[in-house]
Amino acid sequence: MPSHPRGSRLRRGLLAALVAASVAVPVSGAAGPTAVPAPAPTVRGPLRTAAPEALAERYAATRADIGVAERTAARHGDRKRAAALHAMADPARRFLAFDGRDGGRGVEIFGDLSRAERIAVLVPGAGIGIDHYWRLRNGSLALRGELGERSAVVAWLGYRTPTTVSPTSATSGRAAEAAPELARFMEELNRIRPGARTTLLCHSYGSVVCARAAHGLPAANIVLYGSPGTGYRNAAALHTRATVWAGRASDDWIADVPHIELQLPFVDIGFGTDPVSPAFGAEIFAAGDGGHSDYLKTGSVPLRNIARIVAGTAGSAEAPGEHHA
């Protein structure tokens, strides 16, 4: 029989492990972040206007919901969740939406949404919930600082993210649930800020969510970074008017994930074409030499280039291989 190169054996081994993990029946109990009780939110429905007084009213009402969830978590004995919620209920924070149930969801605004000319919507990947929300917040703050005035950053934790390195992170089920919610939010944002230039920033598994929601989305750009793939063959298959960008840092472990797409009777595994490959057809931006969680790190190459895309000055973004001081 013909011999196979080591890379091919590694690819088949990873694929086998991925398949096994994805079809395995979970044996652990339900105890975990999703088991912490929380009341249903009182703030529901879309925002009708971005007028400052309407935003202030929404922020205050959502803050009250977060406070109730904090007290519920404290009574349950989960000090970590209560502490995270206490920080989120700070009067200086601005949440358009919040739901503490099932691991938690929230939509936080950084900057003045009522006056923003440039809006970036961050869609996180696996492992982000209330308990680890600080990761999404830190990246949002760094991007807002890079963009400056007349900009707003939206941290959109609007879905039940999969657990990192789990069967759910290798399949599109959570993305299929999330995509309609993301599409509705983007339409709402377009209604209340129709003149703003909006960019969708999609990290890791968030790329799968964004791709599912992309068709007809009111966005100038869709930026995929640290992406395992999208579930689509190429950028054209997203059927979007937005410019699709992709970047991957040189030390990001996601590069070692096989870019396969396997259809089984009850589940599809993997996300297909590598978004930074020529075959996918995205515009490529330099993403530096950081790791999987470093794309929005203050002072980094990818943060600078992502900000240029959001601002509409992407022509000055560094191309792969360029290194500027």
Side-chain angles (χ1 to χ4, degrees):
M1 295 179 63
S3 61
H4 297 279
R6 181 178 180 275
S8 177
R9 292 198 303 271
L10 175 61
R11 184 183 178 90
R12 293 200 310 277
L14 287 170
L15 175 58
L18 189 61
V19 172
S22 299
V23 300
V25 177
V27 296
S28 60
T34 59
V36 182
T42 62
V43 179
R44 293 180 179 273
L47 193 67
R48 300 299 180 185
T49 173
E53 58 273 15
L55 289 172
E57 182 179 349
R58 173 63 71 98
Y59 296 151
T62 305
R63 187 177 304 119
D65 276 351
I66 297 171
V68 174
E70 176 195 346
R71 293 188 289 275
T72 302
R75 286 195 299 270
H76 184 68
D78 194 314
R79 289 182 292 180
K80 181 179 180 181
R81 174 65 59 83
L85 290 167
H86 183 76
M88 294 171 78
D90 187 296
R93 306 280 290 271
R94 300 168 174 177
F95 281 87
L96 280 182
F98 171 81
D99 189 339
R101 298 172 297 178
D102 197 22
R105 296 168 178 79
V107 179
E108 187 173 11
I109 307 299
F110 301 83
D112 186 351
L113 186 60
S114 69
R115 299 171 65 245
E117 297 172 356
R118 302 172 301 276
I119 302 173
V121 179
L122 270 61
V123 179
I128 302 296
I130 289 177
D131 294 338
H132 298 99
Y133 179 79
W134 58 270
R135 296 176 182 170
L136 180 58
R137 173 175 166 77
N138 286 353
S140 300
L141 285 168
L143 180 59
R144 175 63 173 78
E146 188 74 22
L147 289 169
E149 295 301 315
R150 294 288 184 173
S151 67
V153 175
V154 181
W156 189 83
L157 179 59
Y159 77 112
R160 185 172 52 131
T161 64
T163 305
T164 306
V165 191
S166 69
T168 50
S169 67
T171 61
S172 60
R174 295 289 173 88
E177 295 174 2
E181 298 298 325
L182 178 58
R184 276 192 288 270
F185 176 75
M186 293 294 287
E187 291 290 348
E188 174 186 343
L189 195 60
N190 187 55
R191 282 197 303 271
I192 64 175
R193 293 296 298 144
R197 174 188 174 88
T198 303
T199 295
L200 198 55
L201 305 180
C202 318
H203 179 236
S204 195
Y205 188 88
S207 300
V208 188
V209 177
C210 292
R212 285 260 179 163
H215 180 62
L217 216 58
N221 304 281
I222 297 175
V223 185
L224 315 173
Y225 54 104
S227 174
T230 63
Y232 292 84
R233 183 177 65 260
N234 52 40
L238 301 185
H239 297 292
T240 177
R241 296 187 300 272
T243 300
V244 180
W245 295 80
R248 185 171 63 223
S250 61
D251 200 30
D252 188 342
W253 59 263
I254 206 79
D256 297 324
V257 173
H259 290 283
I260 54 92
E261 193 169 9
L262 181 64
Q263 295 183 342
L264 297 179
F266 302 105
V267 66
D268 293 343
I269 301 171
F271 306 115
T273 312
D274 185 350
V276 300
S277 70
F280 191 75
E283 297 287 337
I284 304 299
F285 67 93
D289 57 3
H292 191 62
S293 301
D294 296 333
Y295 290 91
L296 299 182
K297 188 176 181 179
T298 300
S300 68
V301 168
L303 175 65
R304 186 163 59 242
N305 283 332
I306 288 171
R308 287 168 174 160
I309 294 170
V310 174
T313 59
S316 63
E318 296 175 24
E322 293 181 347
H323 297 285
H324 296 167

